[in-house]
Amino acid sequence: MRYRLDLVLKPAEGALTRVIGMAERRGFSPQAISGEPAAADGRWRVQLVVDGQRPPETLRLQMQKIYDCESVEITAVEGTTVEARS
């Protein structure tokens, strides 16, 4: 199943590498990535599309542990919100 992760990251060297690596280590295959810095607070708003058969909760819990990740929301590509953290 395909999921879209909406992430807010601190602007730190290696933040994207840590996020993509975590997705791969948890059995999710990255399909697309896009993002931009938020003008107001300097943080990065990133959308990562992944494909995988594991429960998305597995990935959400692990993403929360990444120091650079301030929030993550996972949405199934079909449009059903799975989990949110802010």
Side-chain angles (χ1 to χ4, degrees):
M1 183 159 205
R2 209 168 260 210
Y3 300 98
R4 185 186 77 227
L5 284 71
D6 293 298
L7 302 148
V8 177
L9 303 175
K10 294 177 186 174
E13 184 177 329
L16 289 175
T17 302
R18 285 186 282 281
V19 166
I20 293 169
M22 180 65 72
E24 288 180 326
R25 286 190 300 278
R26 295 297 172 250
F28 292 85
S29 175
Q31 301 295 311
I33 188 167
S34 64
E36 62 186 354
D41 60 7
R43 288 171 171 58
W44 298 338
R45 305 292 190 257
V46 176
Q47 286 188 344
L48 175 64
V49 177
V50 296
D51 190 38
Q53 298 303 314
R54 297 187 69 190
E57 180 69 7
T58 302
L59 184 56
R60 186 189 66 82
L61 291 172
Q62 292 302 309
M63 289 290 181
Q64 285 178 275
K65 294 180 181 181
I66 297 174
Y67 174 77
D68 305 317
C69 186
E70 293 189 352
S71 70
V72 59
E73 181 178 320
I74 300 179
T75 306
V77 169
E78 289 78 23
T80 306
T81 300
V82 177
E83 186 66 39
R85 172 186 169 232
S86 52

